[in-house]
Amino acid sequence: MTGAPILAAKGVSRLFGPNQVLFDVDFELRPGEVHALIGENGAGKSTLMKILGGYLAPSSGGLEVDGTPVSFASHREAEAAGVVLIHQEFNLAMPLSVEENMFLGREWKRGPFLRSKDMQAECRRLLARLDCKVDPRLRCRDLSVPERQMVEIAKALGQDARVLIMDEPTAVLTARETDVLLEQIERLRAEGCAILYTSHKLGEVARIADRVTVLRDGHRVACREATGFTEHAMAEAMVGRELSNLFPPKAVPGDEVVLEVRGLTVPGHAKNASFRLRRGEVLGFAGLVGAGRTELMEGVAGFRDASGEIDVFGRRVKTGDPRATREAGLVYLTEDRKEKGLLLGFPLSQNLTLLALDDFTRGGVRIDKKAEVQALARAVKEYDIAARDLTMTAGGLSGGNQQKLLIAKTLLADPGIVIIDEPTRGVDIGAKSQIYAFIAALAAAGKSVIVVSSELPEVIGLADRVVVMHRGTVAGEVEGEAISESAILRLAMGLDEKEPEPA
Amino acid sequence: MTAAQTDAAQTDTGPTAAAPRPRRRINLHVLGPILALAALIALGAFLNDNFLSAGNVQNVLARSAFIGIIAVGMTFVITAGGIDLSVGSMAAFTAGITILAMNAMIEPLGVSVFTIVLGMLVALLTGLAAGMVNGALIARVRIEPFIVTLGAMGVYRSLTTWLADGGTLSLNFELRSLYRPVYYDGPFGISWPILVFALVAILGELAMRSAPFGRHCAAIGANEQVARYSAVRVDRVRMATYALLGLLVGVATIMYVPRLGSASGSTGVLWELEAIAAVIIGGTVLKGGFGRVWGAVVGVLILSLIDNILNLASIVSPYLNGAIQGVIVILAVVLQRERKAED
Amino acid sequence: MTAAQTDAAQTDTGPTAAAPRPRRRINLHVLGPILALAALIALGAFLNDNFLSAGNVQNVLARSAFIGIIAVGMTFVITAGGIDLSVGSMAAFTAGITILAMNAMIEPLGVSVFTIVLGMLVALLTGLAAGMVNGALIARVRIEPFIVTLGAMGVYRSLTTWLADGGTLSLNFELRSLYRPVYYDGPFGISWPILVFALVAILGELAMRSAPFGRHCAAIGANEQVARYSAVRVDRVRMATYALLGLLVGVATIMYVPRLGSASGSTGVLWELEAIAAVIIGGTVLKGGFGRVWGAVVGVLILSLIDNILNLASIVSPYLNGAIQGVIVILAVVLQRERKAED
Amino acid sequence: QEEYTIGVAIPSATHGFMGGLNFHAREAIARLEETYPQLSFVLATSGDAGKMVNDIEDMVATRGIDALVVLPFESEPLTSPVQAVKEQGIWVTVVDRGLSVPGIEDLYVAGDNTGFGRVAGEYFAENLESGDNVVVLRGIPTTLDNERVDAFTAAIDGSGINVLDMQHGNWNRDDAFNVMQDFLSKYEDIDAVWAADDDMAIGVLEAISQAGRDGEMWVVGGAGMKEIVKRIMDGDPMLPVNVTYPPAQIATAIELTALGLVSATPVSGRFIIGSQRITPENAEQFYFPDSPF
Ligand SMILES: Nc1ncnc2c1ncn2[C@@H]1O[C@H](COP(=O)(O)OP(=O)(O)OP(=O)(O)O)[C@@H](O)[C@H]1O
Ligand SMILES: Nc1ncnc2c1ncn2[C@@H]1O[C@H](COP(=O)(O)OP(=O)(O)OP(=O)(O)O)[C@@H](O)[C@H]1O
Ligand SMILES: [Mg+2]
Ligand SMILES: [Mg+2]
């Protein structure tokens, strides 16, 4: 486990415009180790990783490969040196197929022609290692978010890296897929590959990491062996203060049914789903990846063609009309931040108010920009969004802060019912507890929340009642004390099938 | 480097501490078209003394008005990620219909202001209807805008030729004398087209900057999915951009008809290209997501001035006018070129 | 509602049953242009017995070749997120230069095959150079492609007019007789333009589908940033698309010059629109990211056939031809309209 | 009785003169189809030379025409294709713009472009003094525009008339309006305008009247558009004369061709319809209120 560092950063600093996000950071990565980098949202983890991967140049300081100073002019040089980065945000061309994306820029050729068959086979092989059965010919646009992440990982695995840098690879994965990924990481470690890894799921870090480096506000505050570094200690090191209980106490739901869905079918994704939501309730939705929770919720919110009955606050809402659904008081927070959630090129304030723009419009025609700025200032404070510059674009925020902005945007519309799909994707542990507090506060204020999440603890910790989906159908429901990981998993895997599945 | 670090150290107090201090650099993107316009004006004034005369300025502004009014509408269409190639032929068609309608109304209504007002109404409605047809095919039937409007371009152009029987549709002579002041006169010695153009530009700028409509257009152009998930009625807004453009074509036609009192199959040829070029010279992004109405206005003025200057200064073979135009158009945009992607 | 539910019940087994089932439906997107083409052929055959005669088929194919060859190149440009409005005038310019060069070479080289081959080389080089200028301005200087190529369109068109002194540049008559077979004859009774078109189309299809170049174009058009991060040499590929298009304009010119033996300022007018329309009718996405070379070929054939059919059945006033064309173009695309965004 | 098909290929109606030409072509066809049931016609209008060649190919390949009446979009590019038609034994009538190789056509009916420019130029030379200033609006850059302008220049040569400026108004009202506005800004003293086409003359007149300089100059257009002829008849001082270039020549050509097919009358040869000066005195006979032009 000793030996010279394969890749090291020496006194690296980085500025974006006038804002410094990394301060004189030292960091080293040895062959055959899994090194975890943890820190709050906006601490500078992605920035450091991009510098190590050659995507960004340090403002000062330098890198060393095998002890010799290098400066990567581009990520291409880094890749030539065997350093491969998996981005936090997807780096896939959506109209292209899985295979095309995996081999983009390094296609296999025979003469001038592509070896499509071989590449497809290789693609299948790499995906199979990750236990992912995506057809390489499918376009990435047609994949679900977790499937896209698997493709990204497979793409990196195919590059025979000496150093593999993974920026929150598991943020969008469920426990099962995470397990598969961690196995692969262990395999690579055994092969002598150095792995740099970030995650806000500290359990994972404790499980896999050999060493842990903690960043806080761009400073390296700790670097130590992982053994004996408890999750609790990590969280404290990151946040710099004592953390209270992660989950707030659950509110007691009322009796009034505010949302009733009967026999909703989203063609190709969910069939004949029925459930109801009461005032002040937090309803969990669990299921394996691909169970169709997202699609069902998109159907409920009007974003997909669906058939069935949806009553919002006792009024029948036309399916397939998002605006009407929103006006009835139901909003949906998407799991796909980049493609459906935020306009990355737009300023923060415009992103924040887009959904609730009507509330900022005076006389039906004039947007009150002052009010927008105030709303942003409020949201930044309330949701603790780390934006050093309020005029920046949403794309300049760190991943977790984008998620917070998205939540702020959705809740700004002051809905009676919120469906939150993957509420804490990529959010640090401190912010997570904040978001949980928001959700609980919403419920306490008489709003109703549906939480769709692939993180079982989250569903269990928040929800009064959990609906479990399996392959597009509602497999069952667990409530109150009965909510447990094993109960949910049994349903999610289809073991407690109420009706025999038709052939 | 040290200076930068000191600077950074100041903001060190905390990621969120810094007040909303707007970081504004001198932005060539924004200044580009204005600089180009200023350079052209200087060139014109240098080449010919009459260039800045009231008469010439009026001429240039008034004749810019048609394409200018259309370009304002086009800005919204392009900002929302669309395109409209049919505006030139739509203008010809609208002018034709308007002339036919006015001529037909002389019989019952006589040569009166009322006939003219009704005629204007016809122009507005025709434009609006044509725009809505485009919009419906694009937003509801979901056909590629390029194809819809290319098809519409052919349709309107040939309908106009057909209405005119291959020739020219002319407004009744007396009616024209009555209508003429709408192009040539106006209050305070400023002709109507200029005033209407200014009004449309100001309203357009307000709508783009400060109204939900402009915001929604930009959102749709930037990422239609996100707009949809933000409860923007994507189809309706998209439809509205084309309808608005159609309406503005109607407005432009109202100013155009009194000028020469006629319309033919060759009316408005290439207006679409000029309008689109003006919009893009003005800094609007062709792929959508960002629009600048005042930029389009500046773009139209740049294009008109190039013609005007080439006519006023007989420097070269007139055969080369097109080449000079082309080069100036490219130069006008060089200043606001895309930043290096690495930025 | 009940009907919908029954329907839903039937799909019960559907959504979830099979695991890694490649989700491929019968794709109207793919079939759209082919269906439209088939419908046109059926219509033509119905209207006129000679429609399917060898002579007519040869005529239509040979004349499609110019725009067809250009459309193949345009497919790559558009797939990579660009556009080129200058191809028509570039063709005129290239033809002009080629004619001047050939005429000038008669003096030293005589009326010989050698002169013609050299002339062809001039055509290729001129086209390539023109394409590279466009490409350099777009990929290196980073000016909006619409503006660069709109400017270039004006420049080449007026340079051609200027070279021709307002009139027509004509190939020496004897040289023309020697060169003429290149358009009109060919091996196995198939004329050269058809063969060259077929070859270009096949190579283009291979390059798009089975060579890295096509993938890189699509990736750049889909997401330039991603392409850059994936080690695609974005600038170089983008540059190459315009250079390739220029080269193909040169190839088209080689076929064009022997056909008419002359070039003037009005040569190739609107070719750019036709080529772009063909590309989009064929299913390529105007905003980039997805291209289909065979689609562009089908698109060109559709456009040529519309003209051909209008000529062989004088059904209506010729003034309305444009309207019919427009409607058919729109109809041809209806089948492959964008899927509902929900999909 | 033997049946014949006659193909007619003309440029599309992109400006007034071509509109008139289209009108006369369709009139003639309708009339002849009425009179001679054994005749059928194919009319194709094209927007550029290449398209015109396509149309002619189609007529030959699919309609089996017996005679072709063509007004070449441009002379050079149409020469070989028309020659190819001729070689297949099809009667060829060429209208207005001659082919670049003589002797291909059986019948040639044309207006007189040189005459068109010369007649106008002669009027200028007769009615202006030495030192007077004129501006010229040219058409779309083409060979025939060059011929007209050259003839005009030749006719005023030596008269001491000053040509201040020439710009292309593209036979288009709007373009001519803009160009004339700019001429008026640029030149204090203009005594006469040669607009070379009546569509352009309309735009020019409007620009002059806007500038309030009506009395200062007169305008000579060309081709005898009905509105202009009417104003000459009415003695408009700004429009002293006009020069004919009759769009009806296409009708003559079609009629002669038809006659040649259905009867034994020999019709081959050359018919040049000279350009005449229209004056208030003779304007009556050039006034066709029903024509669209
Ligand atoms: N392109 C950019 N322009 C301006 N500021 C940026 C840019 N990229 C990152 N930043 C800023 O740098 C800081 C660190 O961002 P970084 O993405 O490294 O955080 P992170 O630790 O990865 O957070 P997360 O856990 O949320 O992903 C943030 O304050 C962010 O706003
Ligand atoms: N049995 C299946 N076989 C193949 N594809 C499936 C199957 N079930 C679902 N899918 C597809 O897989 C994708 C997965 O959907 P998605 O992952 O968004 O569902 P989800 O339940 O919301 O999961 P998560 O929220 O964890 O991503 C969908 O596009 C769906 O069409
Ligand atoms: Mg990050
Ligand atoms: Mg989901």
Side-chain angles (χ1 to χ4, degrees), chain A residues 55 75-76 87 91 95 99-100 104-105 107 109 113-114 119 133 135 137 139 142 155 268-269 271 303-304 471, chain C residues 8 12 15-17 20 22-24 210-212 215-216 218-219 222 226 228-233 289-290 342:
Chain A
Y55 287 85
H75 61 276
R76 241 167 264 157
H87 287 264
N91 200 26
E99 176 238 325
E100 285 169 337
L104 191 59
E107 290 82 2
K109 286 181 286 186
F113 295 114
L114 296 166
M119 286 193 284
K133 295 195 186 64
D135 186 318
R137 290 168 303 179
R139 296 206 193 174
D142 297 331
K155 179 177 177 181
H269 298 290
K271 57 175 194 254
F303 295 114
R304 283 177 186 267
R471 293 191 163 191
Chain C
D12 251 2
T16 53
R23 274 166 280 169
R24 306 219 166 188
S210 309
R215 285 187 177 193
H216 292 175
V226 167
R228 214 175 274 281
Y229 278 6
S230 303
V232 174
R233 292 182 194 277
F290 176 71
E342 287 86 325

Side-chain angles (χ1 to χ4, degrees), chain C residues 125-200:
Chain C
L125 289 179
T126 310
L128 183 64
M132 284 175 74
V133 171
N134 279 346
L137 287 172
I138 292 163
R140 309 249 182 252
V141 191
R142 286 167 205 281
I143 315 177
E144 183 71 67
F146 188 92
I147 294 291
V148 169
T149 57
L150 183 71
M153 167 168 143
V155 171
Y156 293 128
R157 186 137 326 277
S158 81
L159 281 181
T160 313
T161 310
W162 178 73
L163 284 177
D165 209 4
T168 310
L169 290 164
S170 312
L171 190 59
N172 171 288
F173 203 75
E174 289 164 64
L175 207 54
R176 198 188 303 178
S177 314
L178 193 65
Y179 195 178
R180 208 167 166 273
V182 171
Y183 180 80
Y184 290 95
D185 299 343
F188 321 115
I190 302 170
S191 65
W192 282 112
I194 303 180
L195 290 177
V196 174
F197 180 22
L199 186 72
V200 167

